[in-house]
Amino acid sequence: MGRYVARRLLQMIPVFIGSTLLIFCMMYALPGDPVKALWGEQSSDPAQIAALKHQLGLDQPLWQQYWHYLTGLFQGDFGTQIASQRPVSDVIAQAFPVTIRLTLFAFVFTVVVGILLGVVSGLRAEKALDRIVLIFTLLLISVPSFVLGYLFQYVFAFKLGWITPTVQDSTNWGQLLLPAIVLAALSLAYVTRLTRTSVAENLRADYIRTAVAKGLPRRRIVGVHLLRNSMIPVVTFLGTDIGSLMAGAVVTEGIFNVPGVGNAVFEALNRREGSTVVGIVTLIVIVYLLASLLVDLLYAVLDPRIRYA
Amino acid sequence: MRGAKTMQWSALAAAVALAATACGGGSGGGGGSAAGKPAGYVSIDVTEPQKPLIPGNTNETQGAYVINSLFTGLVEYDAAGKLRNANAESITTDDSKTWTVKLKKGWKFHNGEDVTAQSYVDAWNWFANIKNNQQNSFWFEDVKGYDDVHPAKGDPKSDKMSGLKVEDDHTFKIELTHPVSYFKYKLGYYTFTPLPKGFFKDPKKYGQEPVGNGPYTFEKWTHKKLIQVKAWKGYKGDNKAKNKGIQFKNYSSYEAAYQDVLSNTLDISPQVAPKDLPKRKSDFGDRAIDQPFAATQSIAPAFYSKTFKDVDPKVLQGLSMAIDRKTITKTVLNETRVPATGFMPPLVKGYQKVDTDIFKYDPKKAKELIKEGGGVPGNKVWIQYNADGGHKEWVSAVCQSIRKATGVECVGDSKPDFQTELDARDADQVKSFYRSGWTADYPLNVNFLKELYATNAQTNYGKFSDKEIDGLFKKGDNAKDLDATIKIYQEAERKLAQKMPAIPLWDYAANVVHSDSVGNVKVNFRGDVILSDVTAK
């Protein structure tokens, strides 16, 4: 088990280097000059552009730039932003906690509500309640998140006046509630449907019949035997979902004005801030890797027949 | 199996720990104040300035808002774009080449230091020096000795421009390499500010916590969130703050800011997103302000392109007359633009009514002119634009108008974003037209003509080149006084209407909305809200 984890962690190193190289090359290949664009549509000065590029090392060939970036990275230096001259690590340190808070909130919401709804409707498959849940989740899946965002804003901020339309303080959990729900809505629907199908199917499995025949209490049958075996597809989904929740919050962050990771990447891309994009995206890649490792380990917990050595 | 069992417990423990921190965070964060705006302050949506707050480096609207609140230069423009003295007692010249600046006495920086002639000269030398990588360094190119501190190649020979001389504490002389009769107008640009002594020791720190001489003092900058400045009691200028301070709040979208103004969480949003434009009047009534300012939108032909190489200007005049500006500004642009009547907006000094009908929509005449001029090669034109700036709608409308009126095929040539679009302009890859926008640096006709249409101008991406026009520009610069310069440039503008270096479409209007907790919200010639005049109720 320990060796397995160590091997997986070691495998992350080449993936890490490969992904930074790939993103670095992509940023390099993008048309558009970040230094020239600083002058916008106004007059500019070729001598000053050249001087600035030289200072930033942007006049070097790609491999040299990448080498500098990588050596800097291993010394804990993520580089410096072109326009603001702020260290990229500052930008990351500011954006990530906000997004992690938001993601965690959304994730907990997804897990708790999604699994609960899934189990309830799975146990009552093909009954009225099940139908209602299915229609409700279908609605969540088909409504784009920005529609939901604006709808919530309108109802809760303007009609009911419970909250301010945007997040004023991103360290305040109460204010993050609404964006978290909007962010979680889609995953919630998927988790519910996955759980429901899985539960409904396993309910007809032999081992459940055996458990019932043995005279086990219903709570134990559902809580342990049924749920544990039904969780594998759900956990797989949740593992990848945590990554996409972190990276894919651009729209929700925009509507509720949350200064998170999605926003930071979007802006950096627009301004061609190469090192910022590479830094943030690489961190997201790592989050994905760790999440998938966690999922694999959880398989062993859920199904003792799966073993790693 | 055993391994799995321990895993199970640790997973559970982790879940419990997570839940515990979540709850802890919840109760801790809930008590803090949300908006946190001190009484009497005014809040405005100004997104995070791109760069450190140094007057020599800021050239974008967001940063300019903050710089203008913290620094005051020699002269300033009033709401109508008229020039008046600010920190300067007088600026005089006999030959437009050597200028004598006398400062008002008693002005201080926020840290108590006197504002002297030396503060100006040191600052300007620092801004112009190529080593300091200031984006506005080229603003000093008229000053004698600029080449020494800012050579086209290599290291600077000196760190002082020989054209700047301190006479006494409150007087200094500026010598230029050639007469520039409108130099005083240029001085109103916010790069020509003084800096305190401490700046030169630690520019990095002062870029984060600027110390200026303007109506507000710096309070704090929480990156990506807000910048806060406080009204300064010691300010001597005319534009003393009428409120207690300003919060520049960072919004990731104008939609979000609009919602916050609507719910009174934010006081002013200086721009309205297209989505909210149609309903701004019903939401805000007379608190939705539309005011034209000194910026224009044109489509400029690339004179190297297949379409427009050696084109007869009559063809361009014809295309111009095929565009129904009035209808497009009214419908597609929601009256956020005003149809153009010249190469510059009316509130620019030196604006004239050009005696021409090229801005009039007249399909019949448009067709005739294009025919007379020999037609458009291939009978097709492209308009290049960037898809990230909300230009698609009007480009389509302009194209449709041209197609309908003249039968010339017209399509938009979309580039994904502004950088890519700029790249294509730079590399001479424009197929026929490109979208060309210009906001006044200083409200004088010179700024709308020379920077765009002089043969070697940096922003002349279409490579328009005309000896007669270049000659007039040069003559205008060397004229003996400002009035003479303006007249000569006006002559050049009349000639340009015949030569058509661009097809002006419309002038911009600022669309501002504000809540009812602030009053006296006005917009200056650059389209920015005049913050020092805003009153908080």
Side-chain angles (χ1 to χ4, degrees):
Chain A
M1 184 80 184
R3 278 184 57 184
Y4 175 76
V5 174
R7 205 169 62 223
R8 284 287 296 264
L9 287 175
L10 280 176
Q11 275 170 5
M12 281 184 198
I13 295 172
V15 175
F16 173 77
I17 293 178
S19 62
T20 51
L21 178 65
L22 209 66
I23 304 159
F24 207 89
C25 290
M26 283 185 202
M27 284 310 290
Y28 192 82
L30 270 186
D33 179 345
V35 179
K36 163 94 188 176
L38 288 178
W39 274 266
E41 256 176 309
Q42 289 162 307
S43 302
S44 57
D45 168 19
Q48 194 68 71
I49 293 177
L52 196 58
K53 274 190 179 171
H54 181 70
Q55 192 213 6
L56 292 162
L58 292 173
D59 52 350
Q60 294 166 337
L62 172 65
W63 66 269
Q64 228 169 347
Q65 286 187 37
Y66 181 64
W67 178 248
H68 281 289
Y69 180 76
L70 212 59
T71 45
L73 208 55
F74 282 112
Q75 290 156 22
D77 177 15
F78 277 86
T80 313
Q81 284 203 313
I82 296 168
S84 68
Q85 288 160 34
R86 286 173 69 200
V88 174
S89 48
D90 267 19
V91 178
I92 290 176
Q94 204 170 19
F96 262 90
V98 176
T99 295
I100 288 175
R101 260 195 298 269
L102 190 62
T103 305
L104 221 62
F105 211 155
F107 190 72
V108 169
F109 185 74
T110 307
V111 171
V112 173
V113 181
I115 294 182
L116 204 74
L117 277 178
V119 170
V120 168
S121 65
L123 289 175
R124 289 173 180 67
E126 311 296 324
K127 301 242 171 67
L129 185 76
D130 179 41
R131 298 277 176 218
I132 293 170
V133 170
L134 279 182
I135 291 170
F136 170 68
T137 52
L138 185 71
L139 210 69
L140 283 186
I141 291 173
S142 46
V143 173
S145 62
F146 69 89
V147 174
L148 207 62
Y150 284 127
L151 189 74
F152 275 27
Q153 214 172 38
Y154 177 74
V155 173
F156 293 106
F158 290 106
K159 285 288 138 188
L160 301 172
W162 290 351
I163 53 154
T164 52
T166 63
V167 173
Q168 301 295 316
D169 176 9
S170 54
T171 54
N172 186 329
W173 290 86
Q175 293 197 5
L176 284 179
L177 181 67
L178 215 53
I181 292 177
V182 172
L183 192 60
L186 187 64
S187 319
L188 174 81
Y190 282 126
V191 168
T192 307
R193 293 189 145 222
L194 275 173
T195 315
R196 180 229 171 236
T197 314
S198 197
V199 165
E201 211 168 276
N202 287 332
L203 210 51
R204 293 193 292 269
D206 292 344
Y207 64 85
I208 294 290
R209 216 174 22 206
T210 313
V212 175
K214 267 201 300 187
L216 288 180
R218 184 174 164 80
R219 204 180 337 138
R220 190 157 167 83
I221 296 172
V222 174
V224 179
H225 293 262
L226 179 63
L227 206 56
R228 194 155 145 190
N229 283 292
S230 307
M231 277 300 100
I232 287 196
V234 180
V235 165
T236 314
F237 173 78
L238 285 175
T240 49
D241 191 47
I242 202 159
S244 58
L245 277 180
M246 282 199 76
V250 184
V251 174
T252 315
E253 284 179 5
I255 294 171
F256 293 100
N257 197 36
V258 185
V261 168
N263 218 302
V265 177
F266 182 69
E267 194 188 274
L269 254 175
N270 267 340
R271 292 188 188 161
R272 299 286 188 278
E273 295 274 8
S275 49
T276 315
V277 175
V278 178
I280 294 178
V281 175
T282 306
L283 281 178
I284 293 175
V285 169
I286 291 178
V287 169
Y288 263 108
L289 290 175
L290 287 175
S292 68
L293 174 62
L294 203 69
V295 168
D296 286 348
L297 294 179
L298 276 177
Y299 284 163
V301 178
L302 295 170
D303 187 348
R305 284 171 301 181
I306 301 171
R307 305 186 78 168
Y308 301 109
Chain B
M1 186 71 201
R2 181 138 300 272
K5 198 86 190 168
T6 29
M7 276 291 304
Q8 202 172 3
W9 279 111
S10 50
L12 188 69
V16 170
L18 280 181
T21 47
C23 295
S27 54
S33 72
K37 192 179 76 166
Y41 277 52
V42 173
S43 60
I44 180 169
D45 162 27
V46 169
T47 44
E48 170 99 351
Q50 286 185 22
K51 285 159 268 177
L53 295 168
I54 300 173
N57 207 20
T58 294
N59 63 356
E60 90 285 9
T61 318
Q62 298 88 335
Y65 261 115
V66 187
I67 293 287
N68 281 330
S69 71
L70 296 174
F71 290 89
T72 298
L74 297 170
V75 288
E76 65 195 2
Y77 317 106
D78 64 10
K82 253 177 82 183
L83 199 67
R84 66 174 181 217
N85 284 336
N87 194 181
E89 179 75 52
S90 69
I91 300 175
T92 50
T93 183
D94 295 326
D95 54 1
S96 300
K97 205 176 159 197
T98 309
W99 298 73
T100 308
V101 179
K102 279 202 163 57
L103 299 177
K104 283 178 187 153
K105 284 176 189 151
W107 279 53
K108 283 183 194 307
F109 285 105
H110 302 144
N111 61 6
E113 194 182 317
D114 283 329
V115 178
T116 64
Q118 197 67 45
S119 327
Y120 276 93
V121 171
D122 287 348
W124 296 5
N125 279 326
W126 196 89
F127 291 150
N129 195 320
I130 192 161
K131 285 212 144 162
N132 296 326
N133 286 325
Q134 297 296 294
Q135 288 188 13
N136 299 330
S137 51
F138 68 92
W139 276 89
F140 299 94
E141 65 190 357
D142 299 326
V143 179
K144 198 176 157 196
Y146 174 76
D147 289 340
D148 294 337
V149 297
H150 197 107
K153 261 204 173 106
D155 285 337
K157 275 178 253 159
S158 160
D159 57 1
K160 287 189 177 66
M161 292 185 277
S162 57
L164 298 178
K165 275 190 208 97
V166 175
E167 301 271 301
D168 61 53
D169 262 6
H170 294 95
T171 317
F172 68 102
K173 276 206 156 95
I174 312 166
E175 195 186 332
L176 308 178
T177 51
H178 55 104
V180 181
S181 60
Y182 50 90
F183 188 67
K184 202 167 151 182
Y185 258 85
K186 280 188 144 181
L187 286 176
Y189 195 66
Y190 48 76
T191 293
F192 293 91
T193 48
L195 288 173
K197 285 198 186 82
F199 175 88
F200 306 100
K201 284 188 203 110
D202 193 356
K204 226 174 185 164
K205 183 176 158 244
Y206 277 74
Q208 297 300 317
E209 297 164 25
V211 174
N213 63 335
Y216 294 91
T217 59
F218 177 83
E219 274 189 315
K220 63 175 174 187
W221 182 0
T222 316
H223 281 285
K224 290 277 177 177
K225 209 163 169 197
L226 104 157
I227 296 175
Q228 190 172 309
V229 298
K230 187 177 146 194
W232 185 41
K233 288 207 179 76
Y235 188 62
K236 294 270 163 54
D238 295 333
N239 56 335
K240 211 171 158 87
K242 294 193 174 113
N243 44 55
K244 288 198 172 134
I246 301 165
Q247 282 192 329
F248 303 95
K249 287 172 88 173
N250 180 34
Y251 279 85
S252 46
S253 69
Y254 286 116
E255 281 96 344
Y258 188 89
Q259 302 292 352
D260 268 5
V261 179
L262 208 50
S263 73
N264 257 330
T265 321
L266 179 74
D267 292 329
I268 304 169
S269 176
Q271 209 167 322
V272 177
K275 164 173 122 31
D276 297 316
L277 279 173
K279 64 188 181 89
R280 67 188 193 279
K281 290 282 171 197
S282 58
D283 278 348
F284 287 99
D286 56 358
R287 285 181 286 118
I289 301 166
D290 301 326
Q291 195 184 315
F293 65 98
T296 60
Q297 181 77 258
S298 321
I299 47 175
F303 289 97
Y304 53 80
S305 65
K306 262 193 202 135
T307 322
F308 291 127
K309 200 163 181 45
D310 305 316
V311 70
D312 188 325
K314 275 195 181 136
V315 173
L316 294 167
Q317 285 179 328
L319 287 173
S320 173
M321 293 182 77
I323 300 166
D324 188 356
R325 294 174 175 77
K326 219 166 153 188
T327 310
I328 298 174
T329 49
K330 206 173 197 172
T331 55
V332 180
L333 292 165
N334 272 307
E335 292 182 68
T336 58
R337 309 279 190 278
V338 189
T341 51
F343 285 89
M344 66 200 67
L347 61 99
V348 172
K349 193 174 168 78
Y351 167 83
Q352 59 182 342
K353 260 212 125 71
V354 183
D355 184 26
T356 170
D357 51 5
I358 54 168
F359 300 111
K360 226 172 70 194
Y361 177 58
D362 188 343
K364 212 172 134 212
K365 200 157 175 220
K367 249 191 215 154
E368 276 170 28
L369 278 167
I370 292 175
K371 209 170 164 195
E372 262 175 65
V376 179
N379 207 34
K380 186 170 183 182
V381 293
W382 285 266
I383 301 175
Q384 175 180 306
Y385 67 98
N386 47 316
D388 65 344
H391 302 296
K392 190 178 174 224
E393 286 75 16
W394 67 255
V395 169
S396 309
V398 166
C399 267
Q400 204 193 352
S401 184
I402 289 178
R403 223 179 297 137
K404 226 173 92 191
T406 64
V408 174
E409 184 56 34
C410 172
V411 279
D413 180 12
S414 159
K415 305 281 176 202
D417 55 17
F418 179 59
Q419 276 89 335
T420 319
E421 208 257 305
L422 209 58
D423 254 18
R425 288 194 216 171
D426 246 359
D428 292 353
Q429 284 169 346
V430 177
K431 283 191 203 158
S432 39
F433 284 115
Y434 66 92
R435 175 195 78 75
S436 161
W438 186 260
T439 308
D441 297 316
Y442 45 96
L444 190 65
N445 61 353
V446 178
N447 190 238
F448 277 85
L449 300 174
K450 196 177 151 195
E451 310 287 346
L452 292 167
Y453 310 125
T455 297
N456 52 7
Q458 278 301 321
T459 30
N460 181 359
Y461 294 104
K463 301 278 190 295
F464 172 79
S465 178
D466 189 279
K467 281 208 181 95
E468 194 188 359
I469 298 291
D470 283 344
L472 279 172
F473 287 169
K474 194 152 189 205
K475 198 174 137 200
D477 286 354
N478 289 324
K480 62 179 193 316
D481 59 25
L482 187 63
D483 287 338
T485 304
I486 290 174
K487 280 221 173 85
I488 296 168
Y489 268 89
Q490 282 179 329
E491 193 190 334
E493 192 193 3
R494 286 193 294 271
K495 289 251 159 70
L496 284 175
Q498 302 304 316
K499 299 178 191 283
M500 297 300 283
I503 299 178
L505 295 176
W506 34 71
D507 306 328
Y508 278 80
N511 311 113
V512 181
V513 292
H514 66 88
S515 70
D516 50 14
S517 48
V518 292
N520 201 27
V521 178
K522 286 191 197 122
V523 175
N524 68 10
F525 79 94
R526 216 182 258 124
D528 298 339
V529 177
I530 305 171
L531 289 172
S532 51
D533 280 355
V534 176
T535 53
K537 279 170 204 161

